[in-house]
Amino acid sequence: MVALAHSPSSAERLRAVDGFLTEAWADQVRHDERLRPLGVEVRFDRGVAHLTGEVDEQAQLRLVREQVGRLAGVFGVWCRVRVGGRDPVVVDLGCGATKQWPGNLGLDIFPAPGVDAVADLSGSLPLADDSVDVLFAVHILEHLIDFLPLLDECHRVLRPGGVLHVMSPWWGHVNAVADPTHVRLLDVQTVKGICVMRPPGTPRWYPLHAGSDGASIFADLTPLGPADDGPSATHLARFFD
């Protein structure tokens, strides 16, 4: 098990932890017959697991995500995996000139080399219902006074089993307040509030993973339908106070 302090680790330690996670995942695959035949590659970068490859069905991808996320020292599980021969539709929200992966659809309020469509992220997203597999909201939520409408739009456009990847500055780090365009402070507990504290009838989220490296918070959220069970107390206890 790797225990990281609630303050930023050095780049050297993060690289060492990535090495540990690589070895731990390889060992887990060797001892789990469910994982061995799956064509998913896992790369660790500063505690974030990046999944690529292909599986036959959504349940196999969910299995890999869950098992990778159980490794201590993993802050998020980001995936771009083909399912049943179909490439995922991946959208970068507020990407500016930098997308998380080449080929993602980039949306931003200002034109830039990485932006495929100009859109005001505080309003409606120019995307159809149930049309997206993966959404990235990397360093976006802290720029919105009210980010719940954007989360509701993300819920609308994600397919069942889709994932929203969130990364934002942690409120206790200087990065949260150094940028004068930041108008919101976030904590891992904010993610808990998004998932279990909103009024009945609003879009519901299930936290696949959540964590902090002492500088940023990470969350992987999947949409819940009206009849879907919410997260159990034991599941929430993995991530939240």
Side-chain angles (χ1 to χ4, degrees):
M1 176 175 290
V2 174
L4 293 179
H6 207 54
S7 59
S9 296
S10 66
E12 291 77 12
R13 185 174 186 213
L14 288 172
R15 283 194 293 268
V17 171
D18 287 339
F20 164 82
L21 291 171
T22 300
E23 294 173 0
W25 177 247
D27 187 61
Q28 187 163 337
V29 171
R30 280 194 299 269
H31 291 87
D32 192 331
E33 62 183 13
R34 301 171 300 170
L35 299 172
R36 284 198 297 270
L38 301 182
V40 177
E41 297 180 2
V42 181
R43 177 180 62 86
F44 298 96
D45 182 9
R46 301 176 67 87
V48 176
H50 295 262
L51 278 54
T52 55
E54 183 169 0
V55 294
D56 293 329
E57 55 189 37
Q58 188 72 31
Q60 295 172 322
L61 177 57
R62 182 73 174 258
L63 172 66
V64 177
R65 288 189 54 89
E66 289 176 347
Q67 296 305 309
V68 172
R70 288 181 177 180
L71 296 177
V74 171
F75 301 119
V77 184
W78 294 3
C79 58
R80 187 184 176 90
V81 176
R82 289 168 55 89
V83 178
R86 183 179 64 83
D87 287 323
V89 177
V90 185
V91 177
D92 258 306
L93 300 174
C95 64
T98 305
K99 296 179 182 178
Q100 300 306 311
W101 281 305
N104 291 0
L105 175 67
L107 301 182
D108 207 322
I109 194 170
F110 299 114
V115 176
D116 298 294
V118 174
D120 183 356
L121 300 183
S122 64
S124 299
L125 295 177
L127 301 165
D129 294 359
D130 302 325
S131 62
V132 178
D133 297 290
V134 178
L135 283 166
F136 281 100
V138 176
H139 292 300
I140 296 302
L141 300 188
E142 66 273 17
H143 293 276
L144 301 175
I145 294 175
D146 183 4
F147 57 70
L148 292 177
L150 175 59
L151 293 182
D152 291 349
E153 278 292 280
C154 291
H155 194 285
R156 175 184 67 81
V157 305
L158 278 173
R159 293 187 172 112
V163 179
L164 168 64
H165 298 304
V166 173
M167 179 180 178
S168 287
W170 176 55
W171 71 270
H173 191 270
V174 66
N175 288 347
V177 294
D179 186 338
T181 66
H182 291 176
V183 294
R184 291 296 301 269
L185 298 177
L186 289 91
D187 186 77
V188 175
Q189 294 298 116
T190 311
V191 181
K192 179 183 179 181
I194 290 168
C195 294
V196 301
M197 296 177 63
R198 297 193 64 195
T202 54
R204 301 164 60 229
W205 293 95
Y206 186 97
L208 297 171
H209 205 80
S212 173
D213 64 1
S216 302
I217 67 162
F218 300 84
D220 302 328
L221 308 177
T222 191
L224 288 171
D228 292 336
D229 292 332
S232 66
T234 52
H235 181 78
L236 292 174
R238 291 179 58 198
F239 313 122
F240 311 117
D241 294 334

